[in-house]
Amino acid sequence: MEFTEDYLERNSRTVRIVGEEGLARLARSRVAVFGLGGVGAACAESLARGGVGSFLLVDKDEVEPSNLNRQAIAFLSTMGRPKAEVMRAMALDINPDVQVDALQEFVNADNIDGLLGAFPKPDFIVDAFDTLSVKAELMEYAARNGIRIVSAMGGANKTDPTQLEFADLSDTRICPLCREMRKIARDRGIDDVTVLYSPEKPVKVPAKEGAERHEKTELGTLSYFPPTMGLMIAGYVIRELLG
């Protein structure tokens, strides 16, 4: 794969570690990032800076004020814009040669095959969604199609990123989201899924007075925790892509 001098200059610090062969491998790689919140946006940004050449970015939401404390795409200037489009613009601003497909969609059992089948097959799937059913659908899709996947587990109400670790989902402990996900995985026959999780016990936060249960007002996040997860997942993906 031939690189221009400008491309090599922009990636000169990366080339020092992975060489031009490694850079070419990353440039040929395609990663699908599902969920562009605190975890997913930081992950996608780092993958773009790391030399990954092609993306599928999926998120149904728009940027809102509560995103400002942790999401790489959240600025006053991006309020109300689709997260997928903001992330696409950021990736192109980092690397004008990158190929990006951006979808403002919600993923479910009815549309996942058609949605992903309409685009080139990714080398890796990053699951940064919060919804358990969607996480399960992505895990099953990856297994059916022989695609590597890494899934982010719960970061809400946690404060110590040094406790984050990669593990097989079946080996996780303490994390409430992991516990629920393990039940779903057993019921669906899902196994051998790598996740990033923390065994740290969540801080207890009272729900907002008068809030309905589905509003989840007892879930809080600190500025550094979700982005740390995203960067760790980007590192995992890049190392895997480089072999």
Side-chain angles (χ1 to χ4, degrees):
M1 189 171 188
E2 295 293 329
F3 294 116
T4 65
E5 289 188 13
D6 178 63
Y7 190 91
L8 288 174
E9 175 60 27
R10 285 188 274 118
N11 292 277
S12 60
R13 298 301 180 95
T14 304
V15 172
R16 292 178 189 178
I17 296 176
V18 306
E20 287 194 29
E21 181 180 345
L23 188 64
R25 184 174 296 182
L26 292 172
R28 289 192 297 266
S29 297
R30 181 172 175 83
V31 178
V33 182
F34 289 84
L36 297 166
V39 177
C43 180
E45 178 187 1
S46 187
L47 290 172
R49 294 189 188 280
V52 171
S54 180
F55 290 93
L56 172 62
L57 305 174
V58 184
D59 196 302
K60 69 178 179 63
D61 293 332
E62 298 172 346
V63 181
E64 57 186 44
S66 64
N67 303 152
L68 283 165
N69 83 316
R70 68 199 182 282
Q71 297 188 12
I73 54 175
F75 301 90
L76 294 179
S77 61
T78 61
M79 287 297 115
R81 292 174 56 191
K83 290 183 178 181
E85 288 299 329
V86 175
M87 192 69 247
R88 179 180 185 275
M90 180 182 288
L92 286 166
D93 204 18
I94 292 167
N95 175 14
D97 299 308
V98 75
Q99 301 297 312
V100 185
D101 295 303
L103 294 178
Q104 189 179 11
E105 294 280 353
F106 183 78
V107 178
N108 56 43
D110 295 327
N111 70 3
I112 188 169
D113 286 293
L115 190 153
L116 271 79
F119 296 94
K121 180 179 177 180
D123 299 290
F124 227 106
I125 290 175
V126 173
D127 160 35
F129 274 135
D130 295 327
T131 308
L132 293 171
S133 61
V134 177
K135 300 178 92 63
E137 293 297 337
L138 288 172
M139 292 174 186
E140 289 187 325
Y141 182 90
R144 286 197 306 271
N145 292 277
I147 302 171
R148 289 171 287 180
I149 185 171
V150 58
S151 182
M153 293 290 113
N157 295 359
K158 297 186 179 182
T159 65
D160 183 6
T162 66
Q163 295 192 46
L164 286 164
E165 60 183 82
F166 290 98
D168 188 275
L169 176 61
S170 62
D171 295 328
T172 56
R173 55 193 175 86
I174 300 176
C175 173
L177 185 63
C178 289
R179 182 171 59 248
E180 295 300 317
M181 199 65 234
R182 287 198 304 270
K183 295 177 184 176
I184 295 173
R186 284 196 299 269
D187 291 343
R188 296 195 180 201
I190 299 170
D191 54 20
D192 298 325
V193 177
T194 297
V195 302
L196 176 65
Y197 89 107
S198 170
E200 178 187 1
K201 291 183 179 180
V203 175
K204 291 185 177 181
V205 177
K208 185 177 179 181
E209 186 175 352
E212 298 291 335
R213 184 172 181 177
H214 70 273
E215 293 180 311
K216 297 183 178 180
T217 58
E218 78 282 5
L219 298 181
T221 48
L222 293 173
S223 63
Y224 55 85
F225 205 96
T228 299
M229 294 181 70
L231 293 175
M232 289 180 68
I233 291 173
Y236 176 86
V237 171
I238 286 174
R239 293 195 304 273
E240 289 289 308
L241 291 173
L242 289 171

